[in-house]
Amino acid sequence: MEWCDYNLEVEGTIPDEINGAFFRAVPDPGFPPFIEKDTYISGDGMIGRFLIRGNRVDFAIRYIETDRYLAEKQANRALFGAYRNPYTDDPEVLGVERTVANTTPIWHGGRLFLTKEDGPAYEVDPLTLETIGKWDYHGQLRSRTMTAHVRIDPGSGEMFFFGYEAGGLATRDVAYCIADRDGNLVSEQWFEAPYCAMLHDFVVTENYALFPVFPTIADLDRIKAGGPHWVHHNDQPTWIGIMPRYGKVEEMRWVKGPNGLSAYHMMNGFDERASGSSLVHLDLNVMESNIFPFIREASGVDASPAEMRASLCRWTLDMNDLDKGWTERVIGPPGDMSRTAAKDQCRPYEIGYYACYDPAVGPPVTHSVVGAGFNTLIRVHVGSGESEALALGPDRSINEPIHIPARDPAHEGWLAAVVDTHSTMSSELWFVEAGNIKGGAIARVKLPFRLRPQIHGWWVPQEELDRAAVKAG
Ligand code: V55
Ligand code: FE
């Protein structure tokens, strides 16, 4: 549902210095799907925006007018079939770009993009939320896809990103790309992954780019037969491709790891700075198998997410001895949607945040895209592995938090996240002190409707919005 609402009721006080936009991507099918039981992540992308000026908060949500959304609007019915399977579409839309841009709002070079890993990004006007069109770096980007997870180096302002299935459906082609701080594409190089895997995220350190590859694999014949895009193979190895971040893809080294693992989100990566050290660290939410119910079903993986071994892990590679694989250290409880302050990306850091489902807090409540909703917010000291938790109780689920920096560098800033209460079918935007999550919400913004579960969000400070490349009107 598209709507906007101004001056929402706020309980508590949002600090005056919080000024900017919290953008969120939300799947919501514009027309009733004709595929029974398709996954939530097939839904048309919507861009939600909380505009925050201290205690004054406005909200708006609007469809991304993708080629797919516009084609269905014209026909006034669904034309596109199953998740990432064009062979299940109405023949009328053969060749029409079918991405729904529903995964991450990304701000870079003064522009707002809505991304989904199966297609190109769409540019959206940050002020009106109108869709501007597909984004291909002024015709320069050759990759047909752009991932929903990018890495921005806070020092250089460069955005590192990639596209997989870059050359088309179920191909092993991966495009590794760099845009400079002004948003110009300065590098695009293609390489082949060991198999056509779901490459959801990656990390970049000061010196390297790391591509973890987990065995959730696409097969063109299966897709052509109308089957699922993804099957997870517990008997296939995990790989990490590592290369110098400004290097040539020919320098990529492939490091083999345990069979069957899965991870969607990476918190951060960094190079050990001690002189002479050759260690590279990658912090990520790892599970022993794929967590998505629709993928487990297609793969005959029976273990329920609650039974699966999972943790926030630090994987460490030694650049002088990659043949020995990597070591693993558990640094936090199970969970997902890991975040850091933007200033901490690509370099040594202390603190991370993420969401977790803790069975001690309450029985599983269907909420997020992966099944059991997250009922706990975690702040972890990634060096020591110690963590603090804010438990939300059995009746609440939390969506991915964003981090909002404070002007005072000694202050850790704030986390903001939409919290849904199940018994009252309501949603609130909560603000929490990042350095004191146990203190709970310092402010809660009431929404007049229940919001749909979000995928990812992005914080854009007001001074960045003021420099938007696209001016409304
Ligand atoms: C994810 C979400 C997606 C997708 C693939 O969170 C992976 C993981 C919202 O769409 O297409
Ligand atoms: Fe994601």
Side-chain angles (χ1 to χ4, degrees), residues 103-104 117 148-149 200-201 264-265 336-337 400 455-456:
T103 310
T104 312
E117 63 195 38
H149 290 283
H200 191 65
D201 196 355
Y264 279 89
H265 299 113
D336 203 4
M337 306 311 223
E400 181 192 61
I455 309 296
H456 296 291

Side-chain angles (χ1 to χ4, degrees), residues 220-241:
L220 190 57
D221 291 333
R222 183 176 69 230
I223 295 169
K224 283 185 173 168
H229 192 103
W230 299 118
V231 165
H232 189 79
H233 295 259
N234 277 338
D235 59 350
Q236 294 271 333
T238 298
W239 294 91
I240 297 176

Side-chain angles (χ1 to χ4, degrees), residues 102-121:
N102 70 2
T103 310
T104 312
I106 292 169
W107 179 266
H108 188 245
R111 294 177 198 271
L112 177 65
F113 307 114
L114 264 287
T115 55
K116 184 177 183 74
E117 63 195 38
D118 67 350

Side-chain angles (χ1 to χ4, degrees), residues 83-84 117 164 196-200 214 216 230 264 290 295:
Y83 179 71
R84 296 186 71 167
E117 63 195 38
Y164 75 90
C196 176
M198 185 186 221
L199 297 188
H200 191 65
F214 302 98
T216 299
W230 299 118
Y264 279 89
N290 197 295
I295 295 176

Side-chain angles (χ1 to χ4, degrees), residues 115-347:
T115 55
K116 184 177 183 74
E117 63 195 38
D118 67 350
Y122 277 81
E123 187 184 6
V124 170
D125 184 322
L127 304 177
T128 64
L129 305 186
E130 278 169 74
T131 301
I132 296 165
K134 291 200 280 282
W135 177 253
D136 62 4
Y137 288 90
H138 313 290
Q140 281 187 307
L141 187 69
R142 288 181 297 123
S143 177
R144 296 199 208 170
T145 62
M146 176 172 164
T147 177
H149 290 283
V150 303
R151 297 285 159 181
I152 296 178
D153 186 304
S156 70
E158 292 161 304
M159 181 167 88
F160 299 83
F161 65 100
F162 65 95
Y164 75 90
E165 300 192 28
L169 193 64
T171 59
R172 287 161 56 201
D173 304 315
V174 182
Y176 169 45
C177 309
I178 308 174
D180 69 17
R181 67 182 317 137
D182 300 319
N184 305 300
L185 186 68
V186 293
S187 170
E188 176 176 5
Q189 302 184 68
W190 287 36
F191 65 88
E192 280 197 342
Y195 40 71
C196 176
M198 185 186 221
L199 297 188
H200 191 65
D201 196 355
F202 83 139
V203 298
V204 169
T205 70
E206 288 164 303
N207 293 302
Y208 299 99
L210 286 82
F211 296 86
V213 177
F214 302 98
T216 299
I217 300 177
D219 177 79
L220 190 57
D221 291 333
R222 183 176 69 230
I223 295 169
K224 283 185 173 168
H229 192 103
W230 299 118
V231 165
H232 189 79
H233 295 259
N234 277 338
D235 59 350
Q236 294 271 333
T238 298
W239 294 91
I240 297 176
I242 182 163
M243 62 174 274
R245 80 176 198 178
Y246 298 118
K248 296 265 172 272
V249 288
E250 289 73 23
E251 297 170 77
M252 182 85 71
R253 306 264 311 269
W254 286 101
V255 187
K256 198 174 184 174
N259 286 350
L261 301 181
S262 175
Y264 279 89
H265 299 113
M266 280 128 227
M267 184 172 269
N268 203 0
F270 65 96
D271 305 325
E272 188 81 45
R273 275 185 182 158
S275 86
S277 174
S278 51
L279 302 183
V280 178
H281 304 287
L282 162 62
D283 295 349
L284 73 178
N285 301 109
V286 190
M287 299 202 78
E288 72 177 283
S289 188
N290 197 295
I291 190 170
F292 273 96
F294 79 100
I295 295 176
R296 287 205 314 276
E297 207 176 295
S299 316
V301 174
D302 300 329
S304 77
E307 298 160 348
M308 271 189 212
R309 198 175 59 85
S311 320
L312 180 70
C313 290
R314 172 160 295 176
W315 286 357
T316 300
L317 295 85
D318 183 344
M319 293 310 295
N320 288 340
D321 192 4
L322 287 178
D323 292 341
K324 75 166 186 243
W326 61 83
T327 59
E328 175 177 292
R329 184 156 69 88
V330 172
I331 57 171
D336 203 4
M337 306 311 223
S338 50
R339 309 288 309 224
T340 71
K343 70 170 176 56
D344 287 341
Q345 281 291 299
C346 314
R347 56 217 352 94

